[in-house]
Short mmCIF file of all heavy atoms in Angstrom, two decimals:
data_model
loop_
_atom_site.label_atom_id
_atom_site.label_comp_id
_atom_site.label_asym_id
_atom_site.label_seq_id
_atom_site.Cartn_x
_atom_site.Cartn_y
_atom_site.Cartn_z
N VAL A 60 -20.28 47.92 11.32
CA VAL A 60 -21.43 47.08 10.97
C VAL A 60 -21.00 45.92 10.09
O VAL A 60 -21.34 44.76 10.35
CB VAL A 60 -22.52 47.93 10.28
CG1 VAL A 60 -23.56 47.05 9.64
CG2 VAL A 60 -23.15 48.89 11.26
N VAL A 61 -20.24 46.23 9.02
CA VAL A 61 -19.82 45.18 8.11
C VAL A 61 -18.94 44.17 8.85
O VAL A 61 -19.10 42.95 8.69
CB VAL A 61 -19.07 45.78 6.90
CG1 VAL A 61 -18.53 44.68 6.01
CG2 VAL A 61 -19.98 46.69 6.12
N TRP A 62 -18.07 44.68 9.72
CA TRP A 62 -17.17 43.76 10.43
C TRP A 62 -17.92 42.86 11.41
O TRP A 62 -17.66 41.67 11.50
CB TRP A 62 -16.07 44.54 11.14
CG TRP A 62 -14.77 44.34 10.44
CD1 TRP A 62 -14.23 45.15 9.48
CD2 TRP A 62 -13.89 43.23 10.58
NE1 TRP A 62 -13.06 44.61 9.03
CE2 TRP A 62 -12.81 43.44 9.69
CE3 TRP A 62 -13.89 42.10 11.38
CZ2 TRP A 62 -11.77 42.54 9.56
CZ3 TRP A 62 -12.83 41.19 11.26
CH2 TRP A 62 -11.80 41.42 10.37
N VAL A 63 -18.87 43.46 12.15
CA VAL A 63 -19.62 42.63 13.11
C VAL A 63 -20.44 41.59 12.37
O VAL A 63 -20.51 40.42 12.77
CB VAL A 63 -20.52 43.51 14.01
CG1 VAL A 63 -21.47 42.68 14.81
CG2 VAL A 63 -19.68 44.35 14.94
N ALA A 64 -21.04 42.00 11.21
CA ALA A 64 -21.83 41.03 10.45
C ALA A 64 -20.94 39.91 9.93
O ALA A 64 -21.33 38.73 9.97
CB ALA A 64 -22.53 41.75 9.29
N ALA A 65 -19.73 40.25 9.45
CA ALA A 65 -18.81 39.22 8.96
C ALA A 65 -18.41 38.27 10.08
O ALA A 65 -18.33 37.05 9.90
CB ALA A 65 -17.57 39.88 8.35
N LEU A 66 -18.21 38.85 11.25
CA LEU A 66 -17.82 38.05 12.42
C LEU A 66 -18.93 37.06 12.79
O LEU A 66 -18.69 35.87 13.02
CB LEU A 66 -17.55 39.04 13.55
CG LEU A 66 -16.94 38.63 14.86
CD1 LEU A 66 -16.01 39.74 15.30
CD2 LEU A 66 -18.01 38.49 15.90
N LEU A 67 -20.18 37.55 12.78
CA LEU A 67 -21.30 36.67 13.13
C LEU A 67 -21.48 35.60 12.06
O LEU A 67 -21.74 34.43 12.37
CB LEU A 67 -22.59 37.49 13.27
CG LEU A 67 -22.64 38.44 14.46
CD1 LEU A 67 -23.92 39.24 14.44
CD2 LEU A 67 -22.54 37.66 15.76
N ALA A 68 -21.32 36.01 10.78
CA ALA A 68 -21.50 35.03 9.71
C ALA A 68 -20.45 33.94 9.79
O ALA A 68 -20.76 32.75 9.64
CB ALA A 68 -21.43 35.73 8.35
N SER A 69 -19.20 34.32 10.08
CA SER A 69 -18.16 33.29 10.11
C SER A 69 -18.33 32.42 11.35
O SER A 69 -18.00 31.23 11.33
CB SER A 69 -16.77 33.91 10.04
OG SER A 69 -16.34 34.27 11.31
N MET A 70 -18.90 32.98 12.42
CA MET A 70 -19.17 32.16 13.60
C MET A 70 -20.29 31.17 13.32
O MET A 70 -20.26 30.02 13.74
CB MET A 70 -19.55 33.05 14.77
CG MET A 70 -19.64 32.34 16.07
SD MET A 70 -20.72 33.24 17.14
CE MET A 70 -22.28 32.91 16.40
N LEU A 71 -21.30 31.64 12.55
CA LEU A 71 -22.44 30.79 12.24
C LEU A 71 -22.01 29.58 11.40
O LEU A 71 -22.59 28.49 11.52
CB LEU A 71 -23.46 31.62 11.46
CG LEU A 71 -24.90 31.15 11.52
CD1 LEU A 71 -25.42 31.33 12.93
CD2 LEU A 71 -25.73 31.94 10.54
N ALA A 72 -20.97 29.79 10.58
CA ALA A 72 -20.53 28.72 9.70
C ALA A 72 -19.71 27.67 10.44
O ALA A 72 -19.46 26.59 9.89
CB ALA A 72 -19.72 29.31 8.55
N LEU A 73 -19.29 27.97 11.66
CA LEU A 73 -18.38 27.05 12.37
C LEU A 73 -19.02 25.68 12.61
O LEU A 73 -18.33 24.67 12.66
CB LEU A 73 -18.00 27.64 13.73
CG LEU A 73 -16.98 28.75 13.69
CD1 LEU A 73 -16.75 29.28 15.09
CD2 LEU A 73 -15.70 28.23 13.10
N GLY A 74 -20.35 25.66 12.77
CA GLY A 74 -21.03 24.40 13.05
C GLY A 74 -20.74 23.35 12.00
O GLY A 74 -20.73 22.15 12.30
N ARG A 75 -20.50 23.81 10.75
CA ARG A 75 -20.30 22.85 9.65
C ARG A 75 -18.89 22.31 9.59
O ARG A 75 -18.62 21.38 8.84
CB ARG A 75 -20.63 23.53 8.33
CG ARG A 75 -22.09 23.68 8.06
CD ARG A 75 -22.31 23.84 6.56
NE ARG A 75 -21.43 24.84 6.01
CZ ARG A 75 -21.70 26.13 6.02
NH1 ARG A 75 -22.80 26.56 6.56
NH2 ARG A 75 -20.88 27.00 5.48
N LEU A 76 -17.97 22.92 10.35
CA LEU A 76 -16.55 22.59 10.20
C LEU A 76 -16.29 21.10 10.44
O LEU A 76 -15.64 20.44 9.63
CB LEU A 76 -15.73 23.46 11.14
CG LEU A 76 -14.22 23.35 11.08
CD1 LEU A 76 -13.71 23.55 9.67
CD2 LEU A 76 -13.59 24.39 11.98
N TYR A 77 -16.79 20.58 11.55
CA TYR A 77 -16.53 19.16 11.83
C TYR A 77 -17.79 18.29 11.86
O TYR A 77 -17.67 17.08 11.94
CB TYR A 77 -15.87 18.99 13.20
CG TYR A 77 -14.64 19.81 13.47
CD1 TYR A 77 -14.67 20.84 14.38
CD2 TYR A 77 -13.45 19.53 12.82
CE1 TYR A 77 -13.55 21.60 14.66
CE2 TYR A 77 -12.32 20.27 13.08
CZ TYR A 77 -12.37 21.31 14.00
OH TYR A 77 -11.26 22.04 14.27
N SER A 78 -18.99 18.91 11.86
CA SER A 78 -20.16 18.12 12.26
C SER A 78 -20.41 16.91 11.35
O SER A 78 -20.66 15.82 11.86
CB SER A 78 -21.39 19.02 12.31
OG SER A 78 -21.63 19.54 11.04
N SER A 79 -20.29 17.09 10.00
CA SER A 79 -20.60 15.93 9.15
C SER A 79 -19.52 14.86 9.30
O SER A 79 -19.82 13.66 9.31
CB SER A 79 -20.74 16.36 7.69
OG SER A 79 -19.51 16.86 7.24
N ASP A 80 -18.26 15.28 9.46
CA ASP A 80 -17.19 14.31 9.67
C ASP A 80 -17.34 13.59 10.99
O ASP A 80 -16.98 12.42 11.12
CB ASP A 80 -15.82 15.02 9.65
CG ASP A 80 -15.46 15.47 8.26
OD1 ASP A 80 -16.20 15.10 7.33
OD2 ASP A 80 -14.46 16.18 8.11
N TYR A 81 -17.87 14.32 11.96
CA TYR A 81 -18.08 13.71 13.28
C TYR A 81 -19.19 12.68 13.20
O TYR A 81 -19.08 11.58 13.75
CB TYR A 81 -18.45 14.82 14.27
CG TYR A 81 -18.79 14.37 15.66
CD1 TYR A 81 -17.81 13.84 16.49
CD2 TYR A 81 -20.09 14.48 16.14
CE1 TYR A 81 -18.12 13.42 17.77
CE2 TYR A 81 -20.40 14.07 17.42
CZ TYR A 81 -19.41 13.55 18.23
OH TYR A 81 -19.71 13.15 19.51
N ASN A 82 -20.25 13.00 12.44
CA ASN A 82 -21.39 12.09 12.38
C ASN A 82 -21.08 10.83 11.59
O ASN A 82 -21.56 9.75 11.95
CB ASN A 82 -22.60 12.81 11.76
CG ASN A 82 -23.15 13.86 12.70
OD1 ASN A 82 -23.02 13.72 13.91
ND2 ASN A 82 -23.71 14.92 12.15
N ASP A 83 -20.30 10.95 10.49
CA ASP A 83 -20.08 9.74 9.69
C ASP A 83 -18.77 9.02 10.04
O ASP A 83 -18.39 8.08 9.35
CB ASP A 83 -20.16 10.06 8.18
CG ASP A 83 -19.05 10.98 7.72
OD1 ASP A 83 -18.10 11.20 8.50
OD2 ASP A 83 -19.13 11.49 6.60
N GLY A 84 -18.08 9.47 11.09
CA GLY A 84 -16.91 8.71 11.55
C GLY A 84 -15.60 9.08 10.86
O GLY A 84 -14.56 8.52 11.19
N THR A 85 -15.64 10.03 9.92
CA THR A 85 -14.39 10.44 9.25
C THR A 85 -13.39 11.00 10.25
O THR A 85 -12.19 10.77 10.14
CB THR A 85 -14.70 11.49 8.19
OG1 THR A 85 -15.81 11.06 7.43
CG2 THR A 85 -13.51 11.72 7.29
N LEU A 86 -13.93 11.73 11.22
CA LEU A 86 -13.06 12.39 12.18
C LEU A 86 -12.22 11.38 12.97
O LEU A 86 -11.04 11.60 13.23
CB LEU A 86 -13.92 13.23 13.13
CG LEU A 86 -13.30 14.50 13.66
CD1 LEU A 86 -12.74 15.34 12.54
CD2 LEU A 86 -14.32 15.29 14.43
N GLU A 87 -12.83 10.25 13.31
CA GLU A 87 -12.08 9.22 14.04
C GLU A 87 -10.94 8.69 13.17
O GLU A 87 -9.84 8.42 13.67
CB GLU A 87 -13.01 8.07 14.43
CG GLU A 87 -13.81 8.40 15.66
CD GLU A 87 -14.91 7.40 15.90
OE1 GLU A 87 -14.71 6.22 15.57
OE2 GLU A 87 -15.97 7.81 16.42
N GLN A 88 -11.19 8.55 11.86
CA GLN A 88 -10.13 8.09 10.96
C GLN A 88 -9.00 9.11 10.91
O GLN A 88 -7.83 8.74 10.86
CB GLN A 88 -10.70 7.86 9.56
CG GLN A 88 -11.77 6.80 9.50
CD GLN A 88 -11.28 5.48 10.05
OE1 GLN A 88 -10.18 5.03 9.73
NE2 GLN A 88 -12.06 4.86 10.93
N LEU A 89 -9.36 10.41 10.94
CA LEU A 89 -8.32 11.44 10.92
C LEU A 89 -7.46 11.36 12.18
O LEU A 89 -6.25 11.59 12.14
CB LEU A 89 -8.95 12.84 10.82
CG LEU A 89 -9.65 13.17 9.53
CD1 LEU A 89 -10.16 14.60 9.58
CD2 LEU A 89 -8.71 12.99 8.36
N LEU A 90 -8.10 11.04 13.31
CA LEU A 90 -7.38 10.98 14.57
C LEU A 90 -6.36 9.85 14.58
O LEU A 90 -5.29 9.98 15.19
CB LEU A 90 -8.37 10.78 15.74
CG LEU A 90 -8.58 12.00 16.63
CD1 LEU A 90 -9.23 13.10 15.86
CD2 LEU A 90 -9.44 11.63 17.82
N VAL A 91 -6.67 8.74 13.90
CA VAL A 91 -5.72 7.62 13.89
C VAL A 91 -4.82 7.66 12.66
O VAL A 91 -3.99 6.78 12.48
CB VAL A 91 -6.45 6.27 13.97
CG1 VAL A 91 -7.17 6.13 15.28
CG2 VAL A 91 -7.39 6.09 12.81
N ALA A 92 -4.97 8.68 11.81
CA ALA A 92 -4.13 8.76 10.61
C ALA A 92 -2.68 9.00 11.01
O ALA A 92 -2.41 9.60 12.05
CB ALA A 92 -4.63 9.89 9.72
N PRO A 93 -1.72 8.51 10.18
CA PRO A 93 -0.31 8.69 10.53
C PRO A 93 0.16 10.14 10.40
O PRO A 93 1.14 10.52 11.01
CB PRO A 93 0.42 7.80 9.52
CG PRO A 93 -0.51 7.64 8.39
CD PRO A 93 -1.90 7.70 8.96
N GLN A 94 -0.56 10.95 9.62
CA GLN A 94 -0.14 12.35 9.46
C GLN A 94 -0.52 13.14 10.72
O GLN A 94 -1.48 12.79 11.39
CB GLN A 94 -0.84 12.97 8.25
CG GLN A 94 -0.34 12.47 6.92
CD GLN A 94 -1.02 11.16 6.52
OE1 GLN A 94 -2.02 10.78 7.11
NE2 GLN A 94 -0.46 10.48 5.54
N PRO A 95 0.27 14.20 11.02
CA PRO A 95 -0.06 14.99 12.22
C PRO A 95 -1.46 15.61 12.11
O PRO A 95 -1.80 16.20 11.08
CB PRO A 95 1.01 16.08 12.26
CG PRO A 95 1.81 15.93 11.03
CD PRO A 95 1.49 14.65 10.38
N LEU A 96 -2.24 15.44 13.17
CA LEU A 96 -3.63 15.91 13.16
C LEU A 96 -3.71 17.42 12.98
O LEU A 96 -4.60 17.93 12.31
CB LEU A 96 -4.32 15.48 14.46
CG LEU A 96 -5.78 15.86 14.61
CD1 LEU A 96 -6.61 15.23 13.51
CD2 LEU A 96 -6.31 15.43 15.96
N SER A 97 -2.73 18.15 13.58
CA SER A 97 -2.82 19.61 13.51
C SER A 97 -2.75 20.09 12.06
O SER A 97 -3.45 21.04 11.69
CB SER A 97 -1.71 20.24 14.34
OG SER A 97 -0.47 19.71 13.97
N LEU A 98 -1.94 19.41 11.23
CA LEU A 98 -1.84 19.85 9.84
C LEU A 98 -3.09 19.49 9.05
O LEU A 98 -3.53 20.25 8.18
CB LEU A 98 -0.59 19.24 9.19
CG LEU A 98 0.71 19.81 9.75
CD1 LEU A 98 1.91 19.12 9.15
CD2 LEU A 98 0.78 21.30 9.47
N LEU A 99 -3.68 18.33 9.38
CA LEU A 99 -4.94 17.98 8.73
C LEU A 99 -6.03 18.99 9.10
O LEU A 99 -6.83 19.39 8.25
CB LEU A 99 -5.37 16.57 9.13
CG LEU A 99 -4.44 15.45 8.66
CD1 LEU A 99 -4.94 14.11 9.13
CD2 LEU A 99 -4.34 15.46 7.14
N VAL A 100 -6.02 19.39 10.39
CA VAL A 100 -6.98 20.40 10.82
C VAL A 100 -6.74 21.70 10.07
O VAL A 100 -7.68 22.38 9.63
CB VAL A 100 -6.88 20.62 12.35
CG1 VAL A 100 -7.65 21.85 12.77
CG2 VAL A 100 -7.40 19.42 13.09
N LEU A 101 -5.45 22.05 9.88
CA LEU A 101 -5.13 23.27 9.14
C LEU A 101 -5.71 23.21 7.73
O LEU A 101 -6.28 24.20 7.25
CB LEU A 101 -3.61 23.44 9.09
CG LEU A 101 -3.11 24.72 8.42
CD1 LEU A 101 -3.59 25.93 9.19
CD2 LEU A 101 -1.59 24.72 8.33
N ALA A 102 -5.62 22.04 7.09
CA ALA A 102 -6.19 21.90 5.74
C ALA A 102 -7.70 22.06 5.79
O ALA A 102 -8.30 22.71 4.92
CB ALA A 102 -5.82 20.54 5.16
N LYS A 103 -8.34 21.48 6.81
CA LYS A 103 -9.79 21.62 6.95
C LYS A 103 -10.18 23.08 7.13
O LYS A 103 -11.14 23.56 6.54
CB LYS A 103 -10.29 20.81 8.17
CG LYS A 103 -10.55 19.36 7.89
CD LYS A 103 -11.32 18.72 9.01
CE LYS A 103 -12.81 18.90 8.86
NZ LYS A 103 -13.35 18.27 7.67
N VAL A 104 -9.39 23.78 7.99
CA VAL A 104 -9.69 25.19 8.24
C VAL A 104 -9.52 26.00 6.95
O VAL A 104 -10.33 26.89 6.65
CB VAL A 104 -8.80 25.74 9.37
CG1 VAL A 104 -8.98 27.24 9.52
CG2 VAL A 104 -9.11 25.06 10.67
N ALA A 105 -8.48 25.68 6.18
CA ALA A 105 -8.26 26.40 4.93
C ALA A 105 -9.45 26.21 4.00
O ALA A 105 -9.95 27.18 3.41
CB ALA A 105 -6.97 25.89 4.26
N ALA A 106 -9.94 24.96 3.90
CA ALA A 106 -11.10 24.72 3.06
C ALA A 106 -12.32 25.48 3.58
O ALA A 106 -13.05 26.11 2.81
CB ALA A 106 -11.40 23.22 3.02
N HIS A 107 -12.47 25.45 4.90
CA HIS A 107 -13.60 26.14 5.51
C HIS A 107 -13.54 27.64 5.23
O HIS A 107 -14.55 28.29 4.96
CB HIS A 107 -13.58 25.87 7.02
CG HIS A 107 -14.73 26.47 7.74
ND1 HIS A 107 -14.63 27.63 8.46
CD2 HIS A 107 -16.01 26.07 7.86
CE1 HIS A 107 -15.80 27.92 8.98
NE2 HIS A 107 -16.66 26.99 8.64
N TRP A 108 -12.32 28.19 5.28
CA TRP A 108 -12.19 29.63 5.02
C TRP A 108 -12.53 29.94 3.56
O TRP A 108 -13.22 30.91 3.27
CB TRP A 108 -10.78 30.11 5.35
CG TRP A 108 -10.63 31.56 5.03
CD1 TRP A 108 -11.11 32.60 5.76
CD2 TRP A 108 -10.01 32.12 3.87
NE1 TRP A 108 -10.82 33.79 5.12
CE2 TRP A 108 -10.15 33.52 3.97
CE3 TRP A 108 -9.35 31.58 2.77
CZ2 TRP A 108 -9.66 34.38 3.00
CZ3 TRP A 108 -8.85 32.44 1.80
CH2 TRP A 108 -9.00 33.83 1.92
#
Side-chain angles (χ1 to χ4, degrees):
Chain A
V60 167
V61 176
W62 252 95
V63 170
L66 189 143
L67 292 176
S69 86
M70 190 204 72
L71 204 67
L73 284 177
R75 283 202 311 275
L76 184 53
Y77 308 111
S78 62
S79 64
D80 288 353
Y81 177 68
N82 290 331
D83 65 11
T85 313
L86 212 51
E87 280 169 33
Q88 298 304 314
L89 292 183
L90 252 65
V91 295
Q94 289 84 13
L96 181 61
S97 52
L98 291 177
L99 295 179
V100 168
L101 183 63
K103 276 193 86 63
V104 173
H107 183 259
W108 178 76

